[in-house]
Every structure is written in C-alpha cells, then in structure tokens.
Amino acid sequence: SPHPSQAQVVTWFLLALAFWRLLLPAVAKLRAPALTALLLAHGALFVDLGTNYQNLLSFLPYFLAGHLLPPSCWSIAARPSLRLGCASFLVAASAGTVALARRGERGFGGVAFAD
C-alpha cells in the first residue's frame, strides 16, 4: 500500500494553495480579475506542457471567487434554511441520478443502448 507521504493529490493541492496565495495580490489588481482567471483556466486545458499545471490554473477562478465575495455573502450561505435546501437538492439529485443509471441498464422506453 502507498505511504501517505507519497499522495500526489494532496501535494498538488497544497502547492496550488501556496501558488494562489502568492498570485492573489497581482490578480486582484487587474481590471477584470475573474474574467482573467477564467480565461487562464480555460486556456490551460488546451495547452499541454508536460506538467500537471492544468489543475493549478483550472481551480484558480474558484479560489479567486472566494476571495472576491463580500463577507455578507458568506453570512447568507451560513443560514440553516439555505443549507437545508441545498442538502435536500443534493440528495434528490443523487437519488435521481442513481435511478436513471439503473433504468439506463435496462434501456429507456424499451430501447436498449448498444455498447
């Protein structure tokens, strides 16, 4: 079994957090930081330089959005009624996905899909 210190998933994410923190002051000064981050993330998916930098840039817009949101948005997200509604939606969507996947094994409307 692999040793916990060899987990590359954790390694890239910790490095990405450090990179995002260092990059944040420069990106926040741009005229359109969210648009710039989205364009960088989208462009990174089309260019292969042989390294795993796509993860680094593709999650940058989410990190930046969390930084740019005002504190009032976080207080709204902390409301129990909103959390309950989101959790209910997640459970219903998951149950619907499982039900559709099971039905898909038999085919839709009596028509079986070819592999």
Side-chain angles (χ1 to χ4, degrees):
S1 84
H3 193 270
S5 66
Q6 296 175 348
Q8 292 183 0
V9 173
V10 175
T11 304
W12 81 260
F13 190 72
L14 291 175
L15 290 174
L17 278 175
F19 177 76
W20 296 332
R21 251 336 244 168
L22 290 172
L23 194 64
L24 187 60
V27 173
K29 289 180 183 178
L30 295 173
R31 176 179 271 178
L35 179 63
T36 304
L38 282 171
L39 290 174
L40 277 173
H42 191 69
L45 298 175
F46 291 103
V47 179
D48 185 17
L49 298 176
T51 60
N52 193 12
Y53 70 93
Q54 286 94 353
N55 289 342
L56 185 78
L57 291 175
S58 63
F59 289 105
L60 176 63
Y62 299 103
F63 180 80
L64 187 63
H67 174 73
L68 294 176
L69 282 175
S72 60
C73 289
W74 295 111
S75 62
I76 291 170
R79 289 190 305 192
S81 60
L82 183 64
R83 286 183 172 197
L84 181 62
C86 289
S88 301
F89 174 77
L90 182 62
V91 168
S94 299
T97 302
V98 169
L100 285 174
R102 288 188 177 162
R103 182 182 170 117
E105 292 172 0
R106 295 188 306 263
F108 285 94
V111 177
F113 294 104
D115 288 333

